[in-house]
Amino acid sequence: MKKISKKEANQNNIENKKNRKSTKSREERHREKLLSEDSTFYIREAYKTLRTNIMFSMPHDGCKKLIVTSSLASEGKSTNCMNIALTFAETGARVCIIDCDLRRPNLHRLLNVDAVPGLSNTLIGMNTVEEVIRHSQYPNLDFVSAGDIPPNPAELLGSERFKGLLDEIEKNYDYIFIDSCPVNVVTDTAIVSKVVPEVIMVVLQNSTEKDCLKDAVNQLEFAGAKIIGFILNGVEYTSKGGYRYRYGVKYYRAGGRYSRQAITGYGYGDSYSYDSEYYGKKEKEPAKAAEK
């Protein structure tokens, strides 16, 4: 029997890991980023900290509504929006998450359900509000998927019907979280912020450019939005025990930093490009992550 060197054994292990990873679909890998019983203590505590900070940032009574967005695509807004909703649902609060990204929806992929019927279908009168609100597999968490991709998403989101839809939904929920389009790509989020002014921006460390973030903030402020904080996604964190968590999240209040940082084990970007399908451009190859 041929003796295998340590170097060859390590190489074989690396190849085996690559093969196992390649057997999973993109959606399956994304769903692994959602909070679950298998999530580590650090991850769960991080989102609980984030939940507390959001609760203190939104002190008004009644149903509290919040937009989660980013300056560009692939910065982690959809997964963070979903995990925030899950964390609030764990408290027993009635939570609804709405996919307002009518151009490149992602919520139905994370929940592994059909996108239709959804938001666009009720905005054009094809379905009632009751028909598009669905129960998820998680307790206390309902959702509205995006529905069929329309040719005029900005007009639909800026319509009186959309405002009426939110007014109807908020009667039955304590929190509504909205997964919206990247601010610098299309105007949809600025339009939605006219109805839901509170916004959290997701920023991907070592990826989001400062000028892009400034442009996004300026657009939202011009539209009258209230940015209550930023989630810094993709943060490296090393515990005292020496274990290294490659990705993480930190939460920053608008205008100042919270004394306690929310750090999780996620560094996730929505890997669906906005450059191809909607503007007739050739699909771009996803940028490779910089080597540490």
Side-chain angles (χ1 to χ4, degrees), residues 114-130:
D114 293 332
V116 180
L119 179 61
S120 64
N121 302 107
T122 191
L123 292 180
I124 64 174
M126 290 181 61
N127 295 93
T128 65
V129 176
E130 291 77 14

Side-chain angles (χ1 to χ4, degrees), residues 127-161:
N127 295 93
T128 65
V129 176
E130 291 77 14
E131 289 173 338
V132 299
I133 298 178
R134 290 182 275 175
H135 300 297
S136 73
Q137 64 266 41
Y138 303 99
N140 306 316
L141 179 61
D142 294 344
F143 69 95
V144 177
S145 59
D148 291 305
I149 296 177
N152 57 338
E155 288 75 11
L156 291 179
L157 294 172
S159 65
E160 284 297 318
R161 188 183 288 269

